[in-house]
Amino acid sequence: MGLEGEIEAIEDEIAETPYNKSTEAHIGRLKAKLADKKEQLETQSSAGGGGGYGVEKTGDATVAMVGEPSVGKSTLLNALTNADSEVANYEFTTIDVNPGMLQYKGANIQLLDVPGLIAGAAAGRGRGREVLSVVRTADLVLFVLSAFEIEAYEQLRGDLYDNDVRLDGSRPNMTIAETGQGGLSVTSRSDLDIDEGTVKEVLREHGYVNADITIREPLDVDRLIDGVMDNRAYLPSLVAVNKGDLIDREYLEIVHENLREVGVDPDDAVMISAEKGKGLDALKERIWSDLELIRVYMDKPGQGVDYEEPLVLSAGETIGDACEKLGGRFRERFQFARVHGPSAKHDGQQVGKDHELADEDVLRIVTRR
Ligand SMILES: Nc1nc2c(ncn2[C@@H]2O[C@H](COP(=O)(O)OP(=O)(O)OP(=O)(O)O)[C@@H](O)[C@H]2O)c(=O)[nH]1
Ligand SMILES: [Mg+2]
């Protein structure tokens, strides 16, 4: 029996085992085993497969656009960026990942138009798996839905989940510290959803013999396994509903209802028409805010403040991170910095490398000679 057969057999056993307190640990062990086998399969196929798409990550951040064939991904890419992606009125026009660069607020945001092969990709068919590996490395997933096919959203999300992409959530709040002896010991909150015995089964299945496990959230078996595996990608996501030009007010209500049905708050989705160029400003703004980027204007000695090409960082990053990104003498000979703007306690505040920057700060870095 090959790996795929083993995976199928484990999946069958999980499906056939009724879930209750007495089977919980057993199911936990099966799920842990399944996760390991799937990881093995993935490494196997990526080692043998033809090296991915050759799309290099560039720019300040990367957004992967996913959607069913013909929803308008290429049209949207062309409308938002300098790319020239093939647009056609038949399915599967885009067979490779097409990159384009969106310039917004001085940031270079790379958009990747991911082929319409995603359905069924979870099963590892065709190039679907490669496509999904491109999505995993992005900073934001942009779902492009047609106003007439909102239900595709569930399938897309499911495919991503099956490929270890966890959307709109953070890594489980737990730690595993290996110890030299003493077996497995679990410290958890009182409202933990599963038994300590189950936690131990899962860890044992993953090869842990001696370890202190601390769990700080009321997670279930699946999330516990996420916390043990290091191949999960945690990404934020955003929904754009395209072809808005083809619907009337009455149908808009139906679209909203359909969105609610798949768990999306209509107020959180962005209605657009890629073809007519409607709603694109709102979409850019949402992409910008969901990426949580900040602009830092550099005050260069003798040249003044550069408001045209800001240094783009992630929210929460510090002067030290800015120096890393700037490189050269900033990294090697940093002395101190002066900040004006939102993060400064007062104008021109002198700060060190630990200082956290904010959007639209003006920064002057003083280096040693
Ligand atoms: N009316 C209308 N048509 C659109 C809109 N966006 C895209 N289309 C049309 O929908 C068809 C498919 O558009 P594409 O951009 O090729 O779709 P795609 O998602 O890239 O498709 P694949 O590459 O096959 O996955 C084309 O005929 C587009 O002109 C829109 O906002 N309104
Ligand atoms: Mg396309």
Side-chain angles (χ1 to χ4, degrees), residues 95-310:
I95 49 161
D96 274 322
V97 171
N98 286 304
M101 202 61 91
L102 161 65
Q103 261 104 25
Y104 190 66
K105 293 189 171 177
N108 291 310
I109 299 169
Q110 185 182 39
L111 296 192
L112 299 177
D113 171 11
V114 175
L117 304 176
I118 199 158
R125 259 172 285 148
R127 302 180 77 176
R129 193 163 272 284
E130 288 175 67
V131 171
L132 283 154
S133 72
V134 171
V135 176
R136 292 170 53 87
T137 62
D139 302 296
L140 173 69
V141 174
L142 171 59
F143 288 103
V144 185
L145 305 178
S146 155
F148 306 101
E149 291 162 331
I150 300 296
E151 63 294 340
Y153 179 69
E154 281 182 310
Q155 172 82 43
L156 295 167
R157 260 189 103 101
D159 282 349
L160 291 177
Y161 185 92
D162 290 341
N163 280 273
D164 308 322
V165 177
R166 300 291 177 264
L167 296 170
D168 310 312
S170 52
R171 186 171 288 285
N173 190 355
M174 58 178 278
T175 47
I176 303 170
E178 287 200 77
T179 52
Q181 53 181 30
L184 298 173
S185 113
V186 182
T187 310
S188 65
R189 296 165 39 138
S190 54
D191 58 353
L192 188 69
D193 214 31
I194 48 178
D195 287 339
E196 282 192 7
T198 304
V199 176
K200 288 182 183 174
E201 278 297 331
V202 166
L203 270 104
R204 216 170 277 134
E205 188 59 43
H206 279 289
Y208 288 99
V209 180
N210 299 302
D212 292 334
I213 304 112
T214 310
I215 301 175
R216 301 181 196 83
E217 62 165 65
L219 43 67
D220 61 9
V221 171
D222 295 313
R223 238 177 108 71
L224 171 67
I225 293 171
D226 283 348
V228 177
M229 305 294 290
D230 50 18
N231 66 345
R232 301 330 194 201
Y234 296 86
L235 303 177
S237 76
L238 168 63
V239 175
V241 178
N242 193 32
K243 307 198 180 183
D245 56 298
L246 297 179
I247 64 171
D248 57 16
R249 261 169 199 284
E250 216 174 306
Y251 195 78
L252 183 62
E253 282 310 308
I254 297 174
V255 170
H256 285 180
E257 196 44 51
N258 291 342
L259 282 168
R260 277 184 217 103
E261 223 150 82
V262 295
V264 177
D265 181 344
D267 291 337
D268 284 341
V270 187
M271 290 296 298
I272 59 167
S273 166
E275 197 157 271
K276 303 276 186 280
K278 293 271 165 59
L280 300 186
D281 288 340
L283 181 59
K284 288 180 197 173
E285 185 56 32
R286 271 298 295 278
I287 289 173
W288 167 265
S289 66
D290 285 11
L291 283 171
E292 298 191 43
L293 300 175
I294 58 172
R295 293 157 288 180
V296 175
Y297 305 118
M298 299 304 296
D299 183 356
K300 301 171 184 171
Q303 295 175 44
V305 181
D306 180 357
Y307 289 102
E308 294 303 311
E309 285 180 46

Side-chain angles (χ1 to χ4, degrees), residues 68-75 86-94 113 115-116 242-246 272-276:
E68 298 278 289
S70 293
V71 295
K73 297 180 298 300
S74 300
T75 309
E86 198 179 334
V87 177
N89 199 4
Y90 50 86
E91 298 198 347
F92 301 115
T93 315
T94 315
D113 171 11
N242 193 32
K243 307 198 180 183
D245 56 298
L246 297 179
I272 59 167
S273 166
E275 197 157 271
K276 303 276 186 280

